[in-house]
Amino acid sequence: MFTIGSLLHGIPVTALPRGRSGALLLLRNSCSAAFSSNASGQELVKTEVNEKTNVASLILNRPPVNSLSLEMFRAISSAIQTIERDYPKVQGLVLSSSKPGTLSAGLDLIELHKPDPQRLPEFWNAFQQVYLDLYGSRLACVAAIEGHAPAAGCMLTMCCDYRIMAASPENGSKGPKIGLNETKLGISAPFWLGHLMVQTIGNRQAEKSLALGTLYSAEEALIIGLVDEVVPGEEVLARAHAEATKWAAIPPLARVTSKMMTRKKLLDDLEAKRQEDTDYTCEYLQSKTVQMPLSMYFESLQKKRG
């Protein structure tokens, strides 16, 4: 195995185009990341290629919880595009985190609170682009979910072809959670993310999940089809690489053609409505309905910081 390089903070992209307490905990973690992890030159995404298995690794690396900023989205898209372009023999990809406790806590709230009107459309476009790049990738993508994956973190996993999640601890302590919990934060998921949820777990389960903002344990996620496999936490990464190797061995033309049979419509829908989605979302995110609760949260966070 050899390293093909790390993608640094700010690198440009050649774009083709729980209960409430649990939600607040993930919010707090996301904000902490935004306050502490914007240093210039930080390795936001690490990539590796295994020449024997033809499987690449994409490792999220924005401690403490890989909150998704504009730069983070651009780094993820650039990593996928680089692997697909420069390594034609590579057929598999494992998505993981350098901090096993959290795959990603979702969108960086700093991007949403009192946003820069010029930066916000760029941020949303980068979010859309990661969805298009990962969901539409020619690579067989396996998500190694060793920790929490709420909101946009859950989106990353649903874009993959196969999802393996760490089991809840046998001692009864709380294990990792996954799901789209946006409604508990006063925000609705964009249409394309809602459609992805429907595609993944079915209409009725998605309807309930999206409305209630449910975060699932690994075992609950397995039952509804949000993940494909649950294993002890220490086995997740090895199992993910084994699974990616199996998928990578399938003749690529047949595999990718089959993949696009079920995914092309959703990808085309976003491509056709991309500007409309950006315009609507940017207006919505800057509304008082969204900004007031975010401001209250940030004020409470500052008071706790003393």
Side-chain angles (χ1 to χ4, degrees):
M1 183 178 293
F2 63 95
T3 299
I4 65 172
S6 300
L7 296 160
L8 303 182
H9 178 91
I11 193 168
V13 168
T14 306
L16 298 175
R18 254 166 313 273
R20 185 165 177 78
S21 61
L24 289 175
L25 175 60
L26 290 167
L27 264 172
R28 184 176 301 113
N29 287 340
S30 182
C31 288
S32 297
F35 280 116
S36 63
S37 300
N38 284 322
S40 177
Q42 180 184 349
E43 298 177 341
L44 296 179
V45 172
K46 297 179 179 180
T47 54
E48 298 175 341
V49 168
N50 186 316
E51 291 184 285
K52 293 182 178 179
T53 62
N54 286 325
V55 171
S57 298
L58 193 161
I59 306 163
L60 305 180
N61 186 46
R62 191 184 183 216
V65 291
N66 295 323
S67 57
L68 298 165
S69 63
L70 169 60
E71 291 78 17
M72 188 68 166
F73 278 135
R74 285 177 169 174
I76 294 170
S77 280
S78 188
I80 296 168
Q81 293 169 17
T82 297
I83 293 167
E84 290 191 344
R85 181 187 65 243
D86 295 347
Y87 297 87
K89 292 184 179 180
V90 169
Q91 300 299 328
L93 177 75
V94 173
L95 174 69
S96 64
S97 170
S98 63
K99 302 292 182 182
T102 304
L103 180 68
S104 171
L107 299 183
D108 186 339
L109 294 181
I110 294 293
E111 299 281 5
L112 305 184
H113 182 235
K114 298 179 180 178
D116 179 337
Q118 293 184 333
R119 181 180 170 93
L120 185 58
E122 294 182 26
F123 169 74
W124 198 256
N125 185 267
F127 186 13
Q128 296 168 328
Q129 191 62 48
V130 165
Y131 166 80
L132 293 170
D133 289 334
L134 190 55
Y135 193 57
S137 177
R138 69 167 179 81
L139 303 171
C141 303
V142 178
I145 313 165
E146 299 175 275
H148 298 295
C154 180
M155 180 276 289
L156 293 176
T157 73
M158 290 193 293
C159 286
C160 293
D161 300 80
Y162 198 85
R163 294 168 287 280
I164 302 173
M165 189 167 179
S168 300
E170 294 183 359
N171 62 11
S173 60
K174 293 183 179 180
K177 299 285 188 177
I178 187 172
L180 298 182
N181 62 325
E182 285 84 351
T183 54
K184 288 185 177 178
L185 311 179
I187 302 172
S188 62
F191 79 89
W192 42 274
L193 184 48
H195 291 171
L196 177 59
M197 192 70 155
V198 171
Q199 182 87 336
T200 304
I201 64 174
N203 194 82
R204 181 55 183 152
Q205 287 290 352
E207 185 177 19
K208 292 189 293 183
S209 179
L210 288 166
L212 297 173
T214 307
L215 289 174
Y216 300 95
S217 69
E219 292 73 21
E220 292 167 338
L222 181 63
I223 291 172
I224 65 171
L226 187 54
V227 301
D228 299 294
E229 191 174 335
V230 173
V231 301
E234 64 274 14
E235 298 177 15
V236 171
L237 202 54
R239 272 293 304 128
H241 279 277
E243 190 67 25
T245 300
K246 181 176 77 173
W247 285 64
I250 303 297
L253 180 59
R255 178 181 54 74
V256 175
T257 300
S258 299
K259 180 176 184 173
M260 288 301 109
M261 285 180 189
T262 58
R263 300 192 176 201
K264 187 176 186 299
K265 184 180 185 304
L266 269 64
L267 293 165
D268 288 347
D269 283 348
L270 176 54
E271 290 279 20
K273 301 174 182 176
R274 189 168 183 178
Q275 188 59 52
E276 179 185 347
D277 176 61
T278 299
D279 293 343
Y280 168 80
T281 302
C282 289
E283 181 178 355
Y284 168 66
L285 290 175
Q286 294 177 86
S287 68
K288 290 183 179 180
T289 303
V290 174
Q291 289 302 311
M292 284 182 66
L294 281 177
S295 291
M296 291 174 62
Y297 176 75
F298 274 88
E299 288 173 7
S300 67
L301 186 64
Q302 291 293 351
K303 289 179 181 178
K304 289 179 181 178
R305 287 175 175 268

